[in-house]
């Protein structure tokens, strides 16, 4: 049985030349699949092509080439029923500021052609889920940024979608709001929904995603589960040694100079620790997705 819900083959997007500049090849022929009931993360530095890929998936921009299917159908020919199985959490909150919290959900639900009574019945549970019950009758322009984000997620769930796109769902939120949204995302995954998310937070990706697609310059650099990527691209442990670094460490150990300290990547943490004298200042931690990300995309700042 085919378990993929999204399939992209040789997907490309070229933005036409503008203002005297050349054409921009934002996505350069990528292949990927999203499996039903999983959370897939699309990661990459600024300008990598994540938003362009998301926009093609959300139907907000046309692809230039390749194929892109959802529920086995070309995204350009999705039926109304298929569109009703999709939920969108765009990067920018596009809530109606003049309507109340409940009205935003109601109007959005009715755009799917759902009966008013059915949408009305769903609103209280969604607002409770996103801890917005107290704000039911507040106007959107009275909400904080975090509340707006939570409302956008509630709104995306009004049609009880099978497939949910989350474009940077926690950007700019405080830690409490992030943790709360992580819990909701994990619950949605548990309930069988398929999630595709972009994020700049590697801890978020590691915690939420079953599968990660790392892109840069419009191509896929690596993909796999967070654990697979960590095992494949970095060692088990990272030792962050404050300078001066002992001179007698074996030269063949993979390391990276950060200026004030040097990172050493090793599999056998105990053996490496035994090489360090008592006065060496170091911090040992398990390798994580941030290490993979920086190793594969470099430490140079992007715009
Ligand atoms: P990311 O989301 O990973 O930061 P984007 O998909 O936004 O990357 O951008 C990929 C490339 O496409 C960048 O070089 C960006 O400047 C360019 N780009 C994005 N949107 C447009 C647009 N509407 N017109 C022209 N170029 C664009």
């Amino acid at each position: 049985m085919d378990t993929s819900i999204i399939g992209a083959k040789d997907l490309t997007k070229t933005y036409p030349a503008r203002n005297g500049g050349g054409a921009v090849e934002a996505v350069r022929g990528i292949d990927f699949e999203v499996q039903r009931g999983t959370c897939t993360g699309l990661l990459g530095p600024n300008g990598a092509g994540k938003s362009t890929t998301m926009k093609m998936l959300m139907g907000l921009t046309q692809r230039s080439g390749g194929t892109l299917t959802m529920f086995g159908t070309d995204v350009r020919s999705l039926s109304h029923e298929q569109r009703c199985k999709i939920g969108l959490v765009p990067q920018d909150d596009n809530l109606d500021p003049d309507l109340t919290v409940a009205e935003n959900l109601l109007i959005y639900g009715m755009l799917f052609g759902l009966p008013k009574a059915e949408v009305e019945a769903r609103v209280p549970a969604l607002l409770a889920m996103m801890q917005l019950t107290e704000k039911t009758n507040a106007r959107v322009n009275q909400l904080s940024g975090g509340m707006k984000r939570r409302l956008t997620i509630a709104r995306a769930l009004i049609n009880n979608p099978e497939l949910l796109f989350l474009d940077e769902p926690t950007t700019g939120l405080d830690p409490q709001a992030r943790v709360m949204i992580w819990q909701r995302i994990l619950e949605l995954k548990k309930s069988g929904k398929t999630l595709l998310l972009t994020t700049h937070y590697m801890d978020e990706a590691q915690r939420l995603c079953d599968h990660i697609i790392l892109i840069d310059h419009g191509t896929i650099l690596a993909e796999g589960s967070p654990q697979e990527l960590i095992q494949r691209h970095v060692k088990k442990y990272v030792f962050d040694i404050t300078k001066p670094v002992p001179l007698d460490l074996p030269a063949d150990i993979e390391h990276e100079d950060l200026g004030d300290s040097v990172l050493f990547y090793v599999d056998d943490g105990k053996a490496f620790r035994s090489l360090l004298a008592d006065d060496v200042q170091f911090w040992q931690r398990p390798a994580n997705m941030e290490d993979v990300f920086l190793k594969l995309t470099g430490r140079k700042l992007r715009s």
Side-chain angles (χ1 to χ4, degrees):
M1 199 183 86
D2 185 11
T3 57
S4 75
I5 200 161
I6 294 174
K9 278 214 162 48
D10 202 19
L11 181 65
T12 63
K13 174 71 185 182
T14 305
Y15 292 107
R18 262 195 330 207
N19 306 331
V24 178
E25 281 187 82
V27 176
R28 302 170 184 235
I30 59 174
D31 296 359
F32 66 88
E33 286 189 349
V34 173
Q35 302 299 324
R36 220 170 264 278
T38 62
C39 179
T40 297
L42 203 54
L43 310 182
N46 283 340
K50 303 179 297 294
S51 298
T52 302
T53 304
M54 273 307 232
K55 281 186 194 153
M56 287 191 277
L57 286 160
M58 293 178 172
L60 302 175
T61 192
Q62 294 280 332
R63 64 181 182 264
S64 308
T67 60
L68 187 56
T69 58
M70 228 175 266
F71 310 112
T73 304
D74 187 311
V75 290
R76 291 173 181 158
S77 333
L78 292 176
S79 64
H80 176 71
E81 283 70 30
Q82 287 169 323
R83 284 182 200 284
C84 287
K85 294 198 279 185
I86 300 170
L88 304 181
V89 180
Q91 219 175 88
D92 305 313
D93 295 321
N94 54 356
L95 299 159
D96 191 323
D98 299 324
L99 297 182
T100 67
V101 164
E103 285 166 350
N104 261 276
L105 296 192
L106 200 61
I107 303 268
Y108 197 79
M110 287 169 68
L111 291 178
F112 288 97
L114 295 169
K116 190 173 178 203
E118 194 179 322
V119 183
E120 274 174 342
R122 287 184 190 173
V123 168
L126 287 174
L127 292 182
M129 175 187 177
M130 298 314 289
Q131 291 177 21
L132 286 169
T133 305
E134 279 174 25
K135 298 289 172 187
T136 303
N137 297 312
R139 294 206 178 277
V140 163
N141 54 17
Q142 296 166 343
L143 301 183
S144 69
M147 288 175 189
K148 284 184 189 159
R149 209 73 204 121
R150 275 146 51 201
L151 179 57
T152 305
I153 297 176
R155 190 185 63 174
L157 297 169
I158 194 77
N159 50 322
N160 192 21
E162 271 179 44
L163 173 63
L164 189 62
F165 293 101
L166 297 140
D167 201 357
E168 298 192 20
T170 66
T171 294
L173 301 187
D174 65 22
Q176 285 84 354
R178 286 181 72 205
V179 168
M180 183 260 189
I181 289 179
W182 289 350
Q183 284 165 347
R184 297 294 99 85
I185 290 177
L186 290 170
E187 284 161 18
L188 290 169
K189 190 167 75 167
K190 229 174 172 178
S191 74
K193 298 198 186 301
T194 307
L195 308 165
L196 182 63
L197 111 148
T198 68
T199 178
H200 279 300
Y201 303 117
M202 293 302 116
D203 55 337
E204 179 165 299
Q206 193 168 333
R207 195 174 290 238
L208 301 179
C209 298
D210 307 288
H211 190 78
I212 284 175
I213 301 170
L214 181 55
I215 64 174
D216 199 8
H217 304 297
T219 60
I220 294 178
L221 296 181
E223 64 175 309
S225 71
Q227 278 318 314
E228 279 165 1
L229 292 175
I230 291 166
Q231 272 165 22
R232 206 181 303 151
H233 298 285
V234 282
K235 300 265 188 326
K236 259 192 193 150
Y237 298 104
V238 180
F239 281 77
D240 187 335
I241 302 187
T242 306
K243 286 185 179 176
V245 170
L247 296 170
D248 53 354
L249 291 176
D252 58 348
I253 297 180
E254 195 181 333
H255 59 278
E256 208 174 353
D257 195 329
L258 296 189
D260 288 341
S261 66
V262 180
L263 300 183
F264 286 81
Y265 300 93
V266 300
D267 278 326
D268 189 338
K270 215 168 152 190
F272 187 76
R273 238 183 3 252
S274 71
L275 300 175
L276 304 175
D278 289 346
D279 60 344
V280 175
Q281 271 188 45
F282 70 91
W283 176 46
Q284 178 185 354
R285 61 172 173 81
N288 58 33
M289 266 309 299
E290 188 146 307
D291 297 308
V292 175
F293 187 92
L294 290 171
K295 176 145 187 209
L296 296 182
T297 64
R299 287 180 184 270
K300 213 171 130 218
L301 284 187
R302 307 293 173 95
S303 58

